[in-house]
Amino acid sequence: MKRTRQPSGKSNQDELPSGSQSQASQNPSQSQATSLTQAEKAAAKLDQKELELKVNDLVQYLLIMDQKKYPIKKVDINKVVLKDTSNKAFPLVMKRASEKLADIFGIDVIELQDKQKGSYILISKYEIDADKPNVVWPEEDNTRMGLLMIILSLVFMNNNIMQDSEMWHTLKKLGIDPEVPHETFGDVKKLITSEFVRQGYLEYIRQPQTDPSIYDFKWGQRAKAETSKRNILHFVSQMYDVSDPQQWTSQWQDKENEEEMEVSQANSN
Amino acid sequence: MASEETDPACDDEIDIIDVEDNMKYLKPLQDEKERREIRHKYRTFIEDMERDKHDLINPESDSLNERLKQADELYKPVKMTREAALDSQALVLIANMGRQKAQALNTEFVKFQPVEFVEKLKTFLCGNVLEDRTISTEKWCSLGKAVQPSFKRCPPFRFINGSFERGEVQVRKERVKKIKEKDNTVDKATVPVQVQRVQDTDKMEATTAEVERIFAKLQECYKISKNNPLCYFEFVTNPFSFGQTVENIFYVSFLVRDGLVKIFLDEDKLPVIEPIENKEAEGSDKSEKNKQVIVSLTPADWKEIVKTFGITDCVIPNRPSAGVAKKNKK
């Protein structure tokens, strides 16, 4: 059921202009209470139709900008979609756009934190059933995912961090050399240290005060959102042809911790 | 002290006392020589640590602890800030190494070995084949397909049918450049181009006909001179008309372009012209690079040439003026 068109249909949040402010701030599930009320004020200046247009524009914008899987910046959204509309309407427009994406496309919009704060990525809400895969990906995507999976596994199993020298040493066994152009991947070093990092799959952090500089690999925010430690542990166990992933005691514990945290987060929401 | 400070009558005395007090803090507490020694020791200490880094990071060895004790000892004689700063530097280094050591430390029963994992991966992908264990693009692809369900990726948005028709890509035929081998006697080169523009398609037939005529004339002269190359200037120059001279040069250039005629410098460094035998014509296109030469000729030059070479009559017959050329199709 579409929740977006009729303002009367919503009980709490996006009631337009008058009188909704107190309700909005009381609603516990709203994390951006104050900004939403300001947003509502700004939205009051837009009429229903214009707001709707903006929301739809944002949905389109997000879908198209997601093509390369680079995080979509708030600044760009304000510039391209909101344009002459007040930037304060952003939270409201984003919220509505996210709802549409979730309802119609099954896509979650996730805001990144830390270094990439202020940018958004699109994640599918639903996991694909491995027995009935319904999406066919192009070859480039497939090959990259294969490589990424290996890197993420290595990092995770190595206690969530791996030094670049060790990473390259290991990858060399697979025929991947940072100095040599690869038949499938081309400039592998750039792919791993630049492209994957930019997309949010990996973090490539410089160790301070090292000379020559040493870098560490860690999971990026997109990786954390798109997959889970359980998946990776499962994959690794498959490689070892081991039926009991619990034998990896610390990694198992790691995964358990992560799952506990997820559960508690879900409960508190 | 406070009361002394506020009493203006005792200003001078206060100043001296204060200054002396303050100077106490400025004067180094330590002998410069001593300080230098300490600094030297610290620097050596830091260098040694960096050199022995691998050993220190190794969780098996206890050397990092010993270094820490050493640093402690080194600190004892330190009294001034500069040395203390070096001490901090050393400690930061120790702390970093400690971190790396902790990272390297592994308490698992089953330790994860990256290399082992990768070997298993290769077996998984390529089977137990002993020799060729390189992972081809297809293998990467199939690995990727197998792992895609582990990721909640949303497919990128693409139009099914593309956005608009691009149309056929027009292949531009490259204009064939004139091949000329000639020394540049003068600078500007607009004359030949102008002549070309004057010609429109109607006159193309006239050009081709003219070119053929000139070629025939050249061959005739060539035979007369017993197969010796002819002097280029003597051939093209028309002592009666500058314009015709230029046209002659133009037509000859067509012959050169088509590989029918050769222009080169003889022993006296004068350009000479010679028709090419048929068999050679084929080969010369491929073996020789296309040389492009821009010729420029001013009326003054032309007069000079006429005088120098003593050209009294035109080898290439005078043509009637360009406007009338149409009627004279041969």
Side-chain angles (χ1 to χ4, degrees):
Chain A
M1 178 166 147
K2 292 196 182 147
R3 292 188 279 160
T4 51
R5 302 262 155 84
Q6 319 300 327
S8 54
K10 289 186 194 256
S11 57
N12 42 18
Q13 290 144 0
D14 307 294
E15 271 178 59
L16 274 197
S18 47
S20 59
Q21 295 173 16
S22 53
Q23 279 186 319
S25 50
Q26 278 166 14
N27 192 323
S29 68
Q30 263 189 33
S31 49
Q32 298 171 309
T34 32
S35 50
L36 262 188
T37 53
Q38 273 190 327
E40 282 165 23
K41 278 187 208 153
K45 298 186 187 134
L46 303 170
D47 61 58
Q48 254 301 65
K49 257 196 176 174
E50 217 184 306
L51 182 65
E52 200 58 26
L53 276 176
K54 290 294 171 192
V55 170
N56 290 340
D57 278 346
L58 183 56
V59 169
Q60 271 207 345
Y61 184 73
L62 288 172
L63 285 173
I64 293 177
M65 289 300 280
D66 187 55
Q67 282 179 359
K68 284 204 139 194
K69 297 289 167 191
Y70 294 150
I72 304 156
K73 297 194 189 135
K74 181 172 173 177
V75 173
D76 291 333
I77 294 179
N78 280 333
K79 211 176 7 168
V80 175
V81 179
L82 288 185
K83 278 190 275 201
D84 32 8
T85 325
S86 155
N87 284 357
K88 294 220 172 107
F90 179 86
L92 182 61
V93 177
M94 180 51 110
K95 191 168 171 304
R96 288 232 190 147
S98 311
E99 284 161 9
K100 282 205 178 189
L101 282 168
D103 282 348
I104 302 172
F105 294 95
I107 294 179
D108 272 336
V109 179
I110 299 197
E111 186 178 358
L112 298 182
Q113 304 303 319
D114 307 321
K115 272 204 193 131
Q116 289 167 308
K117 193 162 168 70
S119 56
Y120 297 83
I121 51 173
L122 301 189
I123 307 282
S124 167
K125 270 168 112 49
Y126 308 104
E127 291 199 4
I128 299 173
D129 189 348
D131 299 325
K132 288 181 266 178
N134 54 0
V135 180
V136 177
W137 298 90
E139 182 181 293
E140 191 193 20
D141 272 45
N142 276 331
T143 54
R144 284 189 176 188
M145 277 297 120
L147 179 60
L148 186 67
M149 184 56 148
I150 294 172
I151 296 177
L152 291 178
S153 311
L154 287 171
V155 172
F156 169 59
M157 297 300 283
N158 204 52
N159 240 325
N160 297 317
I161 193 165
M162 187 182 257
Q163 230 178 58
D164 62 346
S165 48
E166 199 178 349
M167 176 67 77
W168 294 123
H169 176 68
T170 317
L171 288 179
K172 274 207 179 114
K173 310 275 173 190
L174 289 169
I176 294 182
D177 189 332
E179 315 290 320
V180 173
H182 194 269
E183 152 192 68
T184 315
F185 297 111
D187 188 344
V188 180
K189 181 162 188 205
K190 190 168 171 209
L191 176 63
I192 296 180
T193 61
S194 173
E195 186 80 356
F196 282 158
V197 172
R198 195 172 165 195
Q199 291 178 335
Y201 281 114
L202 288 178
E203 279 178 19
Y204 186 59
I205 308 159
R206 188 164 168 205
Q207 279 183 19
Q209 303 195 338
T210 48
D211 177 42
S213 39
I214 299 179
Y215 291 84
D216 286 323
F217 282 103
K218 284 177 127 181
W219 277 35
Q221 295 187 51
R222 187 189 281 272
K224 289 182 191 160
E226 283 187 3
T227 186
S228 67
K229 292 180 178 172
R230 190 210 295 144
N231 285 339
I232 306 294
L233 190 56
H234 180 68
F235 173 71
V236 173
S237 307
Q238 272 188 316
M239 290 299 115
Y240 279 80
D241 200 17
V242 155
S243 48
D244 180 18
Q246 279 194 342
Q247 66 162 2
W248 304 106
T249 41
S250 78
Q251 285 89 349
W252 179 265
Q253 195 55 46
D254 201 347
K255 168 203 83 104
E256 292 284 299
N257 289 345
E258 184 192 64
E259 290 182 349
E260 265 177 37
M261 269 177 37
E262 279 171 14
V263 169
S264 63
Q265 262 181 5
N267 282 343
S268 66
N269 279 356
Chain B
M1 197 64 153
S3 53
E4 278 177 319
E5 281 176 0
T6 51
D7 186 350
C10 321
D11 255 346
D12 293 339
E13 279 181 34
I14 295 170
D15 284 327
I16 296 170
I17 295 171
D18 273 349
V19 163
E20 271 182 18
D21 264 337
N22 290 340
M23 281 304 285
K24 174 173 77 184
Y25 295 113
L26 282 179
K27 228 188 316 178
L29 289 169
Q30 229 173 357
D31 194 17
E32 184 56 39
K33 187 164 171 261
E34 253 183 80
R35 291 175 67 198
R36 234 178 283 139
E37 264 181 51
I38 297 177
R39 288 203 292 273
H40 175 70
K41 281 190 195 148
Y42 263 116
R43 286 199 197 106
T44 327
F45 177 75
I46 290 175
E47 272 171 30
D48 283 343
M49 282 227 296
E50 284 177 359
R51 195 194 53 213
D52 297 331
K53 191 175 180 180
H54 274 284
D55 178 45
L56 295 175
I57 296 181
N58 190 349
E60 312 277 319
S61 94
D62 205 29
S63 9
L64 197 59
N65 266 332
E66 285 167 26
R67 297 292 169 113
L68 188 55
K69 287 184 193 152
Q70 269 179 29
D72 234 6
E73 281 297 315
L74 274 180
Y75 187 68
K76 286 197 178 135
V78 169
K79 288 190 184 133
M80 304 293 295
T81 30
R82 226 165 121 184
E83 292 73 46
L86 274 174
D87 179 71
S88 319
Q89 203 182 320
L91 274 184
V92 166
L93 196 52
I94 294 181
N96 260 332
M97 290 195 183
R99 175 181 63 87
Q100 290 176 20
K101 191 172 172 186
Q103 248 176 254
L105 184 62
N106 202 290
T107 50
E108 319 299 321
F109 283 126
V110 187
K111 182 172 179 337
F112 176 73
Q113 300 277 16
V115 178
E116 196 191 347
F117 171 62
V118 161
E119 289 299 319
K120 299 236 176 231
L121 187 70
K122 282 217 284 210
T123 313
F124 180 78
L125 289 175
C126 307
N128 263 318
V129 179
L130 280 171
E131 289 141 27
D132 185 28
R133 305 244 283 176
T134 48
I135 308 184
S136 63
T137 308
E138 290 93 34
K139 297 255 166 60
W140 280 115
C141 217
S142 58
L143 174 64
K145 267 193 229 166
V147 301
Q148 286 285 14
S150 307
F151 290 88
K152 291 195 290 185
R153 295 179 78 212
C154 83
F157 179 81
R158 298 216 199 278
F159 295 106
I160 295 181
N161 280 325
S163 45
F164 55 86
E165 271 293 310
R166 215 170 38 150
E168 289 258 317
V169 178
Q170 301 282 349
V171 176
R172 277 235 199 118
K173 291 204 184 114
E174 284 177 37
R175 282 184 298 170
V176 182
K177 303 261 161 61
K178 293 181 195 171
I179 308 168
K180 266 195 177 179
E181 193 190 302
K182 196 173 169 151
D183 51 340
N184 289 337
T185 44
V186 279
D187 304 63
K188 292 179 210 153
T190 51
V191 176
V193 175
Q194 280 172 4
V195 173
Q196 198 172 359
R197 275 195 235 126
V198 163
Q199 304 240 341
D200 53 35
T201 42
D202 275 6
K203 292 186 180 169
M204 278 318 284
E205 291 179 14
T207 315
T208 328
E210 193 57 39
V211 169
E212 277 169 29
R213 266 202 323 148
I214 292 182
F215 188 51
K217 191 75 192 179
L218 176 64
Q219 285 176 320
E220 205 183 296
C221 297
Y222 190 61
K223 277 197 198 112
I224 293 173
S225 73
K226 297 196 180 96
N227 290 6
N228 280 330
L230 306 166
C231 172
Y232 179 77
F233 288 120
E234 280 182 13
F235 183 64
V236 295
T237 315
N238 183 330
F240 309 117
S241 159
F242 174 65
Q244 300 254 344
T245 308
V246 171
E247 282 176 22
N248 294 338
I249 297 180
F250 176 64
Y251 293 132
V252 167
S253 72
F254 272 98
L255 292 171
V256 176
R257 180 198 72 175
D258 291 335
L260 297 168
V261 145
K262 209 166 40 172
I263 300 180
F264 52 95
L265 300 177
D266 69 3
E267 305 110 12
D268 302 320
K269 298 279 182 194
L270 292 171
V272 292
I273 185 169
E274 180 181 41
I276 297 180
E277 300 296 302
N278 265 342
K279 293 174 202 165
E280 275 180 55
E282 300 275 332
S284 65
D285 271 0
K286 296 165 196 169
S287 55
E288 288 166 22
K289 286 190 219 168
N290 292 351
K291 279 204 185 120
Q292 193 181 338
V293 172
I294 297 176
V295 189
S296 48
L297 199 65
T298 66
D301 291 330
W302 166 68
K303 283 196 189 134
E304 185 82 34
I305 291 173
V306 169
K307 204 168 64 179
T308 317
F309 288 92
I311 300 173
T312 47
D313 196 8
C314 45
V315 174
I316 300 172
N318 222 343
R319 286 178 294 276
S321 66
V324 191
K326 269 193 205 171
K327 296 178 189 167
N328 288 353
K329 279 189 193 162
K330 288 184 184 171

